[in-house]
Amino acid sequence: MLDEILEFNKQFVANKGYEKYITNKYPDKKIAILSCMDTRLTELLPAALGIKNGDVKMIKNAGGVISHPFGSVIRSLMVAIYELGVKEVMVIAHSDCGACHMKARGIKQETIDMIHYCGVDFASWLDGFEDTEKSVRGTVHAIVNHPLIPSDIKVYGFIIDSVTGKLTKVNVE
């Protein structure tokens, strides 16, 4: 697969396929979107929201959650806000999240117990995958209440249907 990707890239550059994507680093819509890395959302999410290259800052990880208050998601949001002019944040989880199935795919209870023994609360670390609305509310609250995120930043929570693209607002109050 890597050889195919590299060959495609070579042709893409040679044919100047990049020209229609040229933009600057500043998001035109002044929005950052935190969403899941699910492959179903790669094209569906931008299409369902009517966004194109250069419109928003997109931050993706498993579940679209903040797993550490000073981890890469908050760091990315801070850069987007302080350096790139973002004024609003959309937290967008999705239906049928694959992260819900990790234990069913073979993570053994003994492994979870060992991780817990080493000081990591595995259930807390994976919190939110069993209840999408709870996950969105928790992530929104983590951003809104973070000491390094300015209080004038608007933060919203949504769930997108991973088939139809329908966006449903989550009550985060």
Side-chain angles (χ1 to χ4, degrees):
M1 287 302 302
L2 182 59
D3 290 338
E4 288 178 32
I5 290 171
L6 293 175
E7 182 56 36
F8 180 88
N9 178 257
K10 189 178 184 181
Q11 294 304 313
F12 178 82
V13 174
N15 296 330
K16 298 185 179 186
Y18 56 84
E19 287 180 342
K20 67 180 183 179
Y21 301 104
I22 294 174
T23 185
N24 63 47
K25 65 182 181 178
Y26 300 98
D28 294 333
K29 297 190 184 293
K30 307 296 180 215
I31 294 175
I33 296 175
L34 170 58
S35 74
C36 186
M37 64 184 199
D38 192 296
T39 56
R40 294 171 292 180
L41 303 181
T42 301
E43 291 188 42
L44 177 65
L45 180 66
L49 301 182
I51 56 177
K52 63 183 183 351
N53 198 47
D55 280 347
V56 303
K57 287 298 173 189
M58 193 72 77
I59 303 164
K60 292 180 163 262
N61 69 12
V65 299
I66 295 174
S67 58
H68 190 282
F70 295 98
S72 63
V73 173
I74 292 294
R75 182 179 62 222
S76 296
L77 285 172
M78 288 179 59
V79 168
I81 292 164
Y82 288 104
E83 295 296 323
L84 304 174
V86 161
K87 302 289 182 203
E88 298 178 81
V89 177
M90 295 176 73
V91 175
I92 305 177
H94 66 95
S95 62
D96 189 34
C97 187
C100 303
H101 312 293
M102 283 188 279
K103 202 168 176 184
R105 289 281 317 264
I107 296 177
K108 296 183 172 118
Q109 185 60 47
E110 302 86 51
T111 304
I112 295 170
D113 293 342
M114 186 271 303
I115 291 169
H116 183 73
Y117 179 75
C118 292
V120 176
D121 183 351
F122 194 74
S124 178
W125 183 59
L126 289 176
D127 189 41
F129 291 125
E130 72 287 343
D131 184 338
T132 307
E133 285 191 30
K134 176 185 171 191
S135 173
V136 169
R137 280 192 300 273
T139 299
V140 167
H141 286 149
I143 297 167
V144 168
N145 296 310
H146 198 281
L148 299 176
I149 301 294
S151 60
D152 63 336
I153 299 299
K154 296 177 182 164
V155 185
Y156 309 96
F158 300 90
I159 298 173
I160 190 169
D161 186 291
S162 58
V163 174
T164 68
K166 180 182 180 193
L167 207 60
T168 304
K169 191 168 185 180
V170 172
N171 182 4
V172 294
E173 299 304 320

